[in-house]
Amino acid sequence: MSKTVKIAIMGAMLEEVEPFLAPDEREPLLAFFKKHNDVRYGGNLYHEAKYKGVDIVLAYSKIGKVNAALTASTMIEKFGAQMLLFTGVAGGVNPEFKIGDLVAATQLCQHDLDITAFGHPHGYVPEGAVFVKPDAKLLRIAKAVADEKGIDLKKGIIATGDQFIADEAKKSWIKATFDADAIEMEGAAVAVVCDALDVPFFVMRSISDSADMDATFDFDAFLKHSSQRSSSFVMGMLDKIVDDLAQ
Ligand code: ADE
């Protein structure tokens, strides 16, 4: 990794990046980030900061694939991010995943992308791929962080779509069609952008609900707690990445 790497930290909702932000706007971004600039662009607020000498850009995109694609592209093209770490929550599809569990995406797909009418598989468009993979080195760093902290890090396929899933039938369809382990609304959009622009990326999600009939209730109840778990894991990864850069 180059010594000059600029790292993007991204979530979809304010709650997902809030653990990185000071409650009082006059304070720097938590004790560990030194904030040096706030930029409003395209309807979002980007915080430029420094962490142990490394440049950071932090933002939440707002919910959904289009917003996520705009923010990921902006972080890369306007702010010069050379690596992107996504943090947030997801609905669990794999029955072994419990609320609060940490899931690192091994592949991401768009469950609502459908030109099957033309004989293509679900999630596929010509010149694209159904699944996009995060950076292998960042996945290894995640495993190392989990091992060091004694965290039972889950891995799995994340299916993304512009729908909050709170329905057993839809959830089963997504599981059957993509072998998905978790569902959310931004990851694959970020993956497509980073893959196209050749930027290593990683998607971390903590389970907030089980995408079933209780999902809206659970989501509201666990959004904050699960966001905290995900962001604290990503912070651990950031430490390791920064240490690697220093060597
Ligand atoms: N993010 C968290 N839970 C979700 C769900 N059930 N559906 C879509 N996105 C989610």
Side-chain angles (χ1 to χ4, degrees):
M1 276 181 228
S2 137
K3 296 244 173 215
T4 58
V5 69
K6 182 167 184 173
I7 302 174
I9 300 177
M10 176 179 167
M13 300 173 71
L14 173 60
E15 289 84 346
E16 290 172 322
V17 297
E18 214 159 25
F20 293 100
L21 297 167
D24 183 333
E25 272 298 304
R26 287 166 302 178
E27 292 289 315
L29 296 170
L30 286 186
F32 40 78
F33 284 173
K34 285 201 193 325
K35 182 155 78 176
H36 58 93
N37 208 15
D38 275 354
V39 180
R40 196 158 259 294
Y41 183 82
N44 294 101
L45 188 59
Y46 295 84
H47 305 279
E48 290 187 290
K50 279 234 183 255
Y51 181 61
K52 296 182 180 171
V54 171
D55 287 320
I56 304 287
V57 55
L58 173 88
Y60 72 95
S61 58
K62 303 192 285 283
I63 294 168
K65 293 195 297 180
V66 174
N67 286 325
L70 173 64
T71 296
S73 306
T74 300
M75 286 173 137
I76 295 164
E77 291 295 325
K78 183 174 167 63
F79 291 93
Q82 294 150 296
M83 177 189 292
L84 191 150
L85 307 175
F86 189 98
T87 177
V89 301
V93 174
N94 184 326
E96 286 175 15
F97 290 1
K98 305 284 173 270
I99 287 172
D101 278 356
L102 288 163
V103 184
T106 51
Q107 302 190 78
L108 299 107
C109 61
Q110 298 179 63
H111 67 72
D112 58 351
L113 186 55
D114 182 353
I115 54 165
T116 54
F118 293 91
H120 294 297
H122 283 282
Y124 176 85
V125 289
E127 299 183 52
V130 176
F131 295 101
V132 180
K133 285 187 182 170
D135 183 63
K137 182 164 184 190
L138 289 173
L139 272 165
R140 282 198 297 277
I141 289 175
K143 186 176 175 344
V145 169
D147 289 349
E148 263 171 35
K149 294 185 190 284
I151 291 170
D152 177 21
L153 177 66
K154 317 279 189 203
K155 290 187 179 169
I157 296 176
I158 291 190
T160 303
D162 283 325
Q163 299 159 358
F164 185 87
I165 307 293
D167 179 279
E168 284 290 354
K170 275 191 196 157
K171 170 177 153 175
S172 302
W173 180 84
I174 293 168
K175 180 165 177 46
T177 309
F178 299 98
D179 198 20
D181 295 293
I183 308 176
E184 38 83 307
M185 302 179 67
E186 297 83 19
V190 170
V192 169
V193 167
C194 290
D195 185 59
L197 298 177
D198 219 8
V199 168
F201 73 95
F202 175 82
V203 176
M204 167 56 55
R205 294 284 188 173
S206 174
I207 301 299
S208 56
D209 60 85
S210 299
D212 54 11
M213 56 186 272
D214 296 326
T216 51
F217 177 83
D218 288 343
F219 180 87
D220 284 343
F222 296 107
L223 171 61
K224 206 169 169 170
H225 176 253
S226 295
S227 293
Q228 177 68 53
R229 280 185 60 84
S230 178
S231 60
S232 127
F233 189 88
V234 164
M235 200 59 218
M237 286 183 67
L238 188 61
D239 270 324
K240 214 169 200 42
I241 293 163
V242 168
D243 287 351
D244 282 0
L245 288 170
Q247 277 162 21

